Amino acid sequence: MSDYINRRLGLKLLLSYLVVIFVGILVLLIASQFAVPSAFGRHMIGMGRMMGQGPGAGQGAGQGLGPGQSEMSADLYREFRLSFFEALKYAVFAAIIAAVAVGIFFSRRVIAPLRAVMAATQHISDGHYDERVQVDGTDEISQLAAHFNQMAEKLEQVESMRRRLIGDVAHELRTPLTVIKGSMEGLMDGVLPAASETYSEIHRETERLNHLVDDLQELSRVEARAYQMDVRSVDVSNLVATVVKRLGHQFDDKRVTLTSNLPRDPMQVLADEDRAIQILTNLISNSLQYTPSGGQVSLDVSRAGNEAQFRVKDTGIGIPAEHLTHIFDRFYRVDKSRSRQNGGGSGIGLAIARHLVEAQGGRIWAESAGESKGSVFAFTLPLVK
Ligand code: ADP
């Protein structure tokens, strides 16, 4: 029985209303036991005075009256008591019925939204992430329902991201695997010559797979924030010098010029040095990748309020306007075939860069006047005050 009650909040609420009513009745009964005789006596004295009795009339039911009157008063008191308790009995009965009715009404009002949340929770745990609860009002239960809906929305987003991620990864793996498989079959059947080009092709695709796995591993670490961030004061000129030195050879090889412009005053940013180098390397490598020989890439750093703004500008293939906002989504490539021809990756680099910039309190964005009009990739990092 107690288990049955324990599992039903509505019943508990109803019982709590009834307990309140019973306590009220008990107090009423005890109080009336004490208060009724003296109140009756007081009123009888008042009545005696009105009927011409002297002021010295006594206290209590029937006290200080003549023998006949005293007996009458006692009878009167007894009758009064009986009628009082009879009336009280009806009142108690009516109060209990009213309490049960009001209790059921309010318990239902409280329980119904909780039941809805409970049903929705069950639905979500069964994998139906589109489940939502109706929110009426602003009380705590409505707030619970609103928070529940927010949580459900987040879960739905995470679930759809997970699905998309699996789809994207499968898609990215398929292309190199198909090439490798095709080449191997060609070799086995003797259709393809056992020449170095065939092996180079297979090697290139395995390299691509390797790259993809590395990128995915890095992306998952960055997205899960499963890395140490060593934020400290970093000198911008050192940062730029390191990156320029590291990439210089590749620029020379492709005959693309790389220049850097820094403000005259020394500038310190609050950042993790390795991560800042990683972001710059990624953006400048992209610029090199998407800029034909003879082109130019420049890295400009300037002060913008309490931030340092880094701008990587190239004279490369540019980005059509409709892609600019998506370019930082993972696996997003403006033109997949173009990216592949250019030896491009899987569209993970900029997603990692965005995470790293945002984790250091900055913003990142891309600008381009359109196809073959060059691009600018800019990001900010907080300046040391
Ligand atoms: P990827 O490894 O494919 O280069 P990224 O995330 O680094 O992946 O870049 C995503 C896409 O953004 C690229 O596939 C390319 O289409 C475009 N992109 C990036 N940088 C440039 C650039 N400097 N100029 C033109 N397009 C660019």
Side-chain angles (χ1 to χ4, degrees):
M1 177 69 179
S2 75
D3 193 40
Y4 182 82
I5 295 172
N6 270 337
R7 287 197 292 126
R8 278 168 181 76
L9 181 62
L11 204 55
K12 280 194 214 168
L13 280 175
L14 187 61
L15 286 177
S16 70
Y17 294 135
L18 288 178
V19 167
V20 171
I21 284 289
F22 278 124
V23 169
I25 290 167
L26 206 67
V27 171
L28 192 69
L29 280 174
I30 294 170
S32 56
Q33 286 290 351
F34 287 107
V36 165
S38 62
F40 183 80
R42 248 190 352 267
H43 285 279
M44 283 309 286
I45 291 164
M47 217 171 90
R49 275 204 203 104
M50 270 167 43
M51 288 163 73
Q53 290 294 319
Q59 314 281 303
Q63 281 173 31
L65 301 169
Q69 282 174 321
S70 169
E71 218 170 274
M72 201 178 91
S73 173
D75 283 348
L76 209 59
Y77 176 66
R78 205 172 34 254
E79 289 307 315
F80 166 74
R81 219 179 116 85
L82 284 174
S83 54
F84 176 80
F85 283 108
E86 196 179 313
L88 202 62
K89 205 167 64 190
Y90 291 128
V92 165
F93 185 65
I96 289 174
I97 291 189
V100 169
V102 170
I104 289 174
F105 176 73
F106 281 110
S107 316
R108 287 222 170 126
R109 282 200 65 135
V110 172
I111 296 303
L114 288 179
R115 285 235 168 98
V117 173
M118 222 167 78
T121 318
Q122 186 62 46
H123 236 80
I124 284 186
S125 68
D126 291 342
H128 304 286
Y129 294 96
D130 54 345
E131 185 74 21
R132 296 291 180 275
V133 186
Q134 197 185 332
V135 181
D136 306 312
T138 51
D139 62 8
E140 284 86 347
I141 294 180
S142 308
Q143 283 174 35
L144 171 72
H147 288 156
F148 174 86
N149 284 346
Q150 279 171 14
M151 187 196 73
E153 183 129 6
K154 288 243 166 71
L155 280 175
E156 196 178 6
Q157 279 170 9
V158 170
E159 175 63 10
S160 85
M161 249 165 68
R162 189 184 67 84
R163 284 211 192 112
R164 229 180 36 228
L165 182 66
I166 293 174
D168 287 339
V169 171
H171 181 81
E172 291 302 321
L173 289 173
R174 189 167 299 125
T175 319
L177 283 176
T178 311
V179 176
I180 293 169
K181 188 166 171 254
S183 302
M184 295 303 271
E185 282 170 0
L187 276 173
M188 282 174 350
D189 298 345
V191 179
L192 282 177
S196 70
E197 299 93 73
T198 316
Y199 295 121
S200 296
E201 170 86 1
I202 295 171
H203 186 255
R204 208 169 33 245
E205 293 304 326
T206 39
E207 275 290 283
R208 200 185 283 281
L209 277 178
N210 227 341
H211 218 86
L212 175 65
V213 171
D214 286 347
D215 278 355
L216 280 173
Q217 205 169 23
E218 175 73 357
L219 180 70
S220 85
R221 273 193 331 131
V222 168
E223 286 193 340
R225 300 214 161 198
Y227 59 94
Q228 289 277 313
M229 190 76 106
D230 183 16
V231 176
R232 56 174 79 180
S233 172
V234 177
D235 185 70
V236 171
S237 57
N238 281 347
L239 204 66
V240 172
T242 309
V243 180
V244 169
K245 193 169 163 216
R246 194 175 283 181
L247 296 173
H249 284 303
Q250 294 176 33
F251 274 82
D252 293 344
D253 289 350
K254 199 177 171 185
R255 281 182 292 109
V256 175
T257 29
L258 174 62
T259 52
S260 60
N261 301 301
L262 293 164
R264 254 182 253 130
D265 301 336
M267 204 192 247
Q268 306 273 330
V269 285
L270 210 54
D272 177 313
E273 190 167 6
D274 291 340
R275 298 296 174 180
I277 290 174
Q278 188 180 350
I279 299 161
L280 277 171
T281 307
N282 184 296
L283 298 184
I284 297 175
S285 304
N286 271 356
S287 285
L288 174 64
Q289 192 177 332
Y290 297 106
T291 301
S293 291
Q296 285 142 30
V297 175
S298 66
L299 167 59
D300 298 310
V301 189
S302 59
R303 232 173 255 273
N306 50 4
E307 291 178 321
Q309 191 176 109
F310 296 76
R311 290 174 75 81
V312 178
K313 188 169 182 232
D314 63 51
T315 56
I317 59 175
I319 303 163
E322 67 270 24
H323 297 286
L324 286 174
T325 47
H326 303 292
I327 209 116
F328 298 96
D329 296 347
R330 51 164 128 82
F331 299 109
Y332 195 88
R333 282 166 299 183
V334 172
D335 177 346
K336 294 189 183 192
S337 59
R338 185 176 79 171
S339 183
R340 253 181 100 75
Q341 279 158 21
N342 276 306
S346 43
I348 295 178
L350 288 179
I352 294 175
R354 182 178 65 181
H355 272 286
L356 293 178
V357 168
E358 287 174 358
Q360 294 177 83
R363 293 166 292 121
I364 189 166
W365 67 96
E367 299 165 12
S368 175
E371 219 154 341
S372 57
K373 301 241 171 73
S375 329
V376 177
F377 281 84
F379 69 96
T380 61
L381 287 176
L383 280 169
V384 175
K385 288 186 187 105

PDB file of all heavy atoms in Angstrom, residues 338-364:
ATOM      1  N   ARG A 338      37.627  19.998 -57.360  1.00  0.00           N
ATOM      2  CA  ARG A 338      38.687  20.988 -57.434  1.00  0.00           C
ATOM      3  C   ARG A 338      39.675  20.784 -56.293  1.00  0.00           C
ATOM      4  O   ARG A 338      40.880  20.803 -56.461  1.00  0.00           O
ATOM      5  CB  ARG A 338      38.049  22.382 -57.324  1.00  0.00           C
ATOM      6  CG  ARG A 338      39.027  23.509 -57.502  1.00  0.00           C
ATOM      7  CD  ARG A 338      38.331  24.832 -57.491  1.00  0.00           C
ATOM      8  NE  ARG A 338      38.025  25.261 -56.154  1.00  0.00           N
ATOM      9  CZ  ARG A 338      37.567  26.457 -55.856  1.00  0.00           C
ATOM     10  NH1 ARG A 338      37.333  27.337 -56.793  1.00  0.00           N
ATOM     11  NH2 ARG A 338      37.324  26.789 -54.632  1.00  0.00           N
ATOM     12  N   SER A 339      39.097  20.494 -55.094  1.00  0.00           N
ATOM     13  CA  SER A 339      39.917  20.309 -53.915  1.00  0.00           C
ATOM     14  C   SER A 339      40.833  19.098 -54.078  1.00  0.00           C
ATOM     15  O   SER A 339      41.997  19.131 -53.714  1.00  0.00           O
ATOM     16  CB  SER A 339      39.008  20.126 -52.710  1.00  0.00           C
ATOM     17  OG  SER A 339      39.768  20.011 -51.554  1.00  0.00           O
ATOM     18  N   ARG A 340      40.280  18.049 -54.668  1.00  0.00           N
ATOM     19  CA  ARG A 340      41.066  16.826 -54.872  1.00  0.00           C
ATOM     20  C   ARG A 340      42.188  17.052 -55.888  1.00  0.00           C
ATOM     21  O   ARG A 340      43.314  16.639 -55.683  1.00  0.00           O
ATOM     22  CB  ARG A 340      40.147  15.702 -55.366  1.00  0.00           C
ATOM     23  CG  ARG A 340      39.876  14.670 -54.311  1.00  0.00           C
ATOM     24  CD  ARG A 340      38.999  13.582 -54.865  1.00  0.00           C
ATOM     25  NE  ARG A 340      39.791  12.412 -55.245  1.00  0.00           N
ATOM     26  CZ  ARG A 340      40.304  11.551 -54.371  1.00  0.00           C
ATOM     27  NH1 ARG A 340      40.161  11.741 -53.090  1.00  0.00           N
ATOM     28  NH2 ARG A 340      40.985  10.517 -54.780  1.00  0.00           N
ATOM     29  N   GLN A 341      41.815  17.767 -56.982  1.00  0.00           N
ATOM     30  CA  GLN A 341      42.827  18.032 -58.006  1.00  0.00           C
ATOM     31  C   GLN A 341      43.975  18.856 -57.425  1.00  0.00           C
ATOM     32  O   GLN A 341      45.125  18.698 -57.758  1.00  0.00           O
ATOM     33  CB  GLN A 341      42.222  18.839 -59.159  1.00  0.00           C
ATOM     34  CG  GLN A 341      41.444  17.994 -60.145  1.00  0.00           C
ATOM     35  CD  GLN A 341      40.458  18.857 -60.922  1.00  0.00           C
ATOM     36  OE1 GLN A 341      40.609  20.069 -61.007  1.00  0.00           O
ATOM     37  NE2 GLN A 341      39.448  18.217 -61.464  1.00  0.00           N
ATOM     38  N   ASN A 342      43.600  19.766 -56.516  1.00  0.00           N
ATOM     39  CA  ASN A 342      44.604  20.617 -55.906  1.00  0.00           C
ATOM     40  C   ASN A 342      45.371  19.917 -54.797  1.00  0.00           C
ATOM     41  O   ASN A 342      46.113  20.537 -54.066  1.00  0.00           O
ATOM     42  CB  ASN A 342      43.934  21.855 -55.303  1.00  0.00           C
ATOM     43  CG  ASN A 342      43.712  22.934 -56.345  1.00  0.00           C
ATOM     44  OD1 ASN A 342      44.643  23.325 -57.021  1.00  0.00           O
ATOM     45  ND2 ASN A 342      42.480  23.377 -56.488  1.00  0.00           N
ATOM     46  N   GLY A 343      45.115  18.615 -54.661  1.00  0.00           N
ATOM     47  CA  GLY A 343      45.770  17.883 -53.576  1.00  0.00           C
ATOM     48  C   GLY A 343      45.190  18.268 -52.239  1.00  0.00           C
ATOM     49  O   GLY A 343      45.822  18.106 -51.197  1.00  0.00           O
ATOM     50  N   GLY A 344      43.969  18.799 -52.264  1.00  0.00           N
ATOM     51  CA  GLY A 344      43.333  19.289 -51.028  1.00  0.00           C
ATOM     52  C   GLY A 344      42.923  18.159 -50.126  1.00  0.00           C
ATOM     53  O   GLY A 344      42.911  16.992 -50.524  1.00  0.00           O
ATOM     54  N   GLY A 345      42.576  18.518 -48.920  1.00  0.00           N
ATOM     55  CA  GLY A 345      42.212  17.508 -47.937  1.00  0.00           C
ATOM     56  C   GLY A 345      40.733  17.245 -47.955  1.00  0.00           C
ATOM     57  O   GLY A 345      40.068  17.330 -48.998  1.00  0.00           O
ATOM     58  N   SER A 346      40.220  16.946 -46.769  1.00  0.00           N
ATOM     59  CA  SER A 346      38.829  16.512 -46.684  1.00  0.00           C
ATOM     60  C   SER A 346      37.910  17.594 -46.122  1.00  0.00           C
ATOM     61  O   SER A 346      36.771  17.323 -45.811  1.00  0.00           O
ATOM     62  CB  SER A 346      38.790  15.284 -45.786  1.00  0.00           C
ATOM     63  OG  SER A 346      39.624  15.524 -44.679  1.00  0.00           O
ATOM     64  N   GLY A 347      38.399  18.803 -46.007  1.00  0.00           N
ATOM     65  CA  GLY A 347      37.552  19.881 -45.490  1.00  0.00           C
ATOM     66  C   GLY A 347      37.463  19.867 -43.985  1.00  0.00           C
ATOM     67  O   GLY A 347      36.433  20.246 -43.412  1.00  0.00           O
ATOM     68  N   ILE A 348      38.514  19.435 -43.325  1.00  0.00           N
ATOM     69  CA  ILE A 348      38.498  19.386 -41.858  1.00  0.00           C
ATOM     70  C   ILE A 348      39.364  20.502 -41.262  1.00  0.00           C
ATOM     71  O   ILE A 348      39.088  20.999 -40.176  1.00  0.00           O
ATOM     72  CB  ILE A 348      39.003  17.995 -41.368  1.00  0.00           C
ATOM     73  CG1 ILE A 348      38.023  16.907 -41.803  1.00  0.00           C
ATOM     74  CG2 ILE A 348      39.135  17.977 -39.843  1.00  0.00           C
ATOM     75  CD1 ILE A 348      38.435  15.513 -41.411  1.00  0.00           C
ATOM     76  N   GLY A 349      40.371  20.907 -42.034  1.00  0.00           N
ATOM     77  CA  GLY A 349      41.340  21.890 -41.521  1.00  0.00           C
ATOM     78  C   GLY A 349      40.702  23.147 -40.964  1.00  0.00           C
ATOM     79  O   GLY A 349      41.032  23.577 -39.849  1.00  0.00           O
ATOM     80  N   LEU A 350      39.768  23.756 -41.711  1.00  0.00           N
ATOM     81  CA  LEU A 350      39.172  25.011 -41.248  1.00  0.00           C
ATOM     82  C   LEU A 350      38.255  24.789 -40.043  1.00  0.00           C
ATOM     83  O   LEU A 350      38.119  25.677 -39.202  1.00  0.00           O
ATOM     84  CB  LEU A 350      38.399  25.692 -42.383  1.00  0.00           C
ATOM     85  CG  LEU A 350      39.259  26.318 -43.483  1.00  0.00           C
ATOM     86  CD1 LEU A 350      38.379  26.948 -44.557  1.00  0.00           C
ATOM     87  CD2 LEU A 350      40.201  27.376 -42.914  1.00  0.00           C
ATOM     88  N   ALA A 351      37.630  23.600 -39.978  1.00  0.00           N
ATOM     89  CA  ALA A 351      36.779  23.295 -38.805  1.00  0.00           C
ATOM     90  C   ALA A 351      37.653  23.251 -37.557  1.00  0.00           C
ATOM     91  O   ALA A 351      37.264  23.773 -36.495  1.00  0.00           O
ATOM     92  CB  ALA A 351      36.062  21.965 -39.014  1.00  0.00           C
ATOM     93  N   ILE A 352      38.834  22.650 -37.684  1.00  0.00           N
ATOM     94  CA  ILE A 352      39.758  22.586 -36.540  1.00  0.00           C
ATOM     95  C   ILE A 352      40.216  24.011 -36.188  1.00  0.00           C
ATOM     96  O   ILE A 352      40.221  24.402 -35.016  1.00  0.00           O
ATOM     97  CB  ILE A 352      40.976  21.679 -36.867  1.00  0.00           C
ATOM     98  CG1 ILE A 352      40.517  20.229 -37.038  1.00  0.00           C
ATOM     99  CG2 ILE A 352      42.033  21.791 -35.784  1.00  0.00           C
ATOM    100  CD1 ILE A 352      41.597  19.263 -37.480  1.00  0.00           C
ATOM    101  N   ALA A 353      40.550  24.791 -37.227  1.00  0.00           N
ATOM    102  CA  ALA A 353      41.019  26.166 -36.994  1.00  0.00           C
ATOM    103  C   ALA A 353      39.950  26.963 -36.239  1.00  0.00           C
ATOM    104  O   ALA A 353      40.266  27.687 -35.290  1.00  0.00           O
ATOM    105  CB  ALA A 353      41.352  26.837 -38.315  1.00  0.00           C
ATOM    106  N   ARG A 354      38.700  26.826 -36.655  1.00  0.00           N
ATOM    107  CA  ARG A 354      37.636  27.582 -35.968  1.00  0.00           C
ATOM    108  C   ARG A 354      37.560  27.204 -34.496  1.00  0.00           C
ATOM    109  O   ARG A 354      37.480  28.069 -33.624  1.00  0.00           O
ATOM    110  CB  ARG A 354      36.287  27.347 -36.643  1.00  0.00           C
ATOM    111  CG  ARG A 354      35.197  28.178 -35.961  1.00  0.00           C
ATOM    112  CD  ARG A 354      33.862  28.048 -36.596  1.00  0.00           C
ATOM    113  NE  ARG A 354      33.359  26.691 -36.472  1.00  0.00           N
ATOM    114  CZ  ARG A 354      32.199  26.293 -36.977  1.00  0.00           C
ATOM    115  NH1 ARG A 354      31.458  27.156 -37.642  1.00  0.00           N
ATOM    116  NH2 ARG A 354      31.801  25.063 -36.830  1.00  0.00           N
ATOM    117  N   HIS A 355      37.600  25.901 -34.211  1.00  0.00           N
ATOM    118  CA  HIS A 355      37.535  25.460 -32.809  1.00  0.00           C
ATOM    119  C   HIS A 355      38.682  26.052 -32.004  1.00  0.00           C
ATOM    120  O   HIS A 355      38.481  26.524 -30.888  1.00  0.00           O
ATOM    121  CB  HIS A 355      37.604  23.933 -32.734  1.00  0.00           C
ATOM    122  CG  HIS A 355      36.253  23.312 -32.842  1.00  0.00           C
ATOM    123  ND1 HIS A 355      35.335  23.347 -31.813  1.00  0.00           N
ATOM    124  CD2 HIS A 355      35.667  22.645 -33.844  1.00  0.00           C
ATOM    125  CE1 HIS A 355      34.237  22.731 -32.204  1.00  0.00           C
ATOM    126  NE2 HIS A 355      34.405  22.301 -33.421  1.00  0.00           N
ATOM    127  N   LEU A 356      39.867  26.003 -32.597  1.00  0.00           N
ATOM    128  CA  LEU A 356      41.048  26.479 -31.860  1.00  0.00           C
ATOM    129  C   LEU A 356      40.978  27.984 -31.618  1.00  0.00           C
ATOM    130  O   LEU A 356      41.323  28.459 -30.531  1.00  0.00           O
ATOM    131  CB  LEU A 356      42.326  26.124 -32.620  1.00  0.00           C
ATOM    132  CG  LEU A 356      42.629  24.622 -32.705  1.00  0.00           C
ATOM    133  CD1 LEU A 356      43.887  24.384 -33.508  1.00  0.00           C
ATOM    134  CD2 LEU A 356      42.790  24.020 -31.305  1.00  0.00           C
ATOM    135  N   VAL A 357      40.509  28.731 -32.628  1.00  0.00           N
ATOM    136  CA  VAL A 357      40.398  30.191 -32.460  1.00  0.00           C
ATOM    137  C   VAL A 357      39.370  30.493 -31.370  1.00  0.00           C
ATOM    138  O   VAL A 357      39.629  31.285 -30.452  1.00  0.00           O
ATOM    139  CB  VAL A 357      39.993  30.874 -33.796  1.00  0.00           C
ATOM    140  CG1 VAL A 357      39.595  32.319 -33.556  1.00  0.00           C
ATOM    141  CG2 VAL A 357      41.130  30.809 -34.788  1.00  0.00           C
ATOM    142  N   GLU A 358      38.212  29.858 -31.451  1.00  0.00           N
ATOM    143  CA  GLU A 358      37.150  30.141 -30.479  1.00  0.00           C
ATOM    144  C   GLU A 358      37.555  29.713 -29.076  1.00  0.00           C
ATOM    145  O   GLU A 358      37.201  30.377 -28.100  1.00  0.00           O
ATOM    146  CB  GLU A 358      35.834  29.484 -30.924  1.00  0.00           C
ATOM    147  CG  GLU A 358      35.249  30.238 -32.119  1.00  0.00           C
ATOM    148  CD  GLU A 358      34.017  29.588 -32.734  1.00  0.00           C
ATOM    149  OE1 GLU A 358      33.623  28.508 -32.248  1.00  0.00           O
ATOM    150  OE2 GLU A 358      33.478  30.158 -33.700  1.00  0.00           O
ATOM    151  N   ALA A 359      38.301  28.613 -28.976  1.00  0.00           N
ATOM    152  CA  ALA A 359      38.747  28.162 -27.652  1.00  0.00           C
ATOM    153  C   ALA A 359      39.698  29.176 -27.018  1.00  0.00           C
ATOM    154  O   ALA A 359      39.869  29.203 -25.802  1.00  0.00           O
ATOM    155  CB  ALA A 359      39.430  26.811 -27.770  1.00  0.00           C
ATOM    156  N   GLN A 360      40.307  30.034 -27.864  1.00  0.00           N
ATOM    157  CA  GLN A 360      41.224  31.049 -27.318  1.00  0.00           C
ATOM    158  C   GLN A 360      40.551  32.413 -27.238  1.00  0.00           C
ATOM    159  O   GLN A 360      41.202  33.441 -27.078  1.00  0.00           O
ATOM    160  CB  GLN A 360      42.485  31.118 -28.190  1.00  0.00           C
ATOM    161  CG  GLN A 360      43.267  29.834 -28.100  1.00  0.00           C
ATOM    162  CD  GLN A 360      44.485  29.826 -29.014  1.00  0.00           C
ATOM    163  OE1 GLN A 360      45.523  30.338 -28.675  1.00  0.00           O
ATOM    164  NE2 GLN A 360      44.331  29.228 -30.174  1.00  0.00           N
ATOM    165  N   GLY A 361      39.225  32.424 -27.376  1.00  0.00           N
ATOM    166  CA  GLY A 361      38.464  33.669 -27.203  1.00  0.00           C
ATOM    167  C   GLY A 361      38.458  34.552 -28.448  1.00  0.00           C
ATOM    168  O   GLY A 361      38.153  35.743 -28.356  1.00  0.00           O
ATOM    169  N   GLY A 362      38.749  33.998 -29.597  1.00  0.00           N
ATOM    170  CA  GLY A 362      38.756  34.806 -30.822  1.00  0.00           C
ATOM    171  C   GLY A 362      37.630  34.443 -31.786  1.00  0.00           C
ATOM    172  O   GLY A 362      36.757  33.637 -31.455  1.00  0.00           O
ATOM    173  N   ARG A 363      37.647  35.095 -32.955  1.00  0.00           N
ATOM    174  CA  ARG A 363      36.648  34.813 -34.009  1.00  0.00           C
ATOM    175  C   ARG A 363      37.405  34.553 -35.298  1.00  0.00           C
ATOM    176  O   ARG A 363      38.514  35.048 -35.464  1.00  0.00           O
ATOM    177  CB  ARG A 363      35.742  36.035 -34.230  1.00  0.00           C
ATOM    178  CG  ARG A 363      34.836  36.358 -33.070  1.00  0.00           C
ATOM    179  CD  ARG A 363      34.248  37.761 -33.225  1.00  0.00           C
ATOM    180  NE  ARG A 363      35.260  38.794 -33.092  1.00  0.00           N
ATOM    181  CZ  ARG A 363      35.561  39.702 -34.019  1.00  0.00           C
ATOM    182  NH1 ARG A 363      34.907  39.729 -35.156  1.00  0.00           N
ATOM    183  NH2 ARG A 363      36.501  40.607 -33.820  1.00  0.00           N
ATOM    184  N   ILE A 364      36.770  33.826 -36.201  1.00  0.00           N
ATOM    185  CA  ILE A 364      37.422  33.553 -37.497  1.00  0.00           C
ATOM    186  C   ILE A 364      36.383  33.702 -38.596  1.00  0.00           C
ATOM    187  O   ILE A 364      35.212  33.369 -38.391  1.00  0.00           O
ATOM    188  CB  ILE A 364      38.078  32.141 -37.499  1.00  0.00           C
ATOM    189  CG1 ILE A 364      38.936  31.941 -38.737  1.00  0.00           C
ATOM    190  CG2 ILE A 364      37.054  31.040 -37.378  1.00  0.00           C
ATOM    191  CD1 ILE A 364      39.871  30.735 -38.654  1.00  0.00           C
TER     192      ILE A 364
END
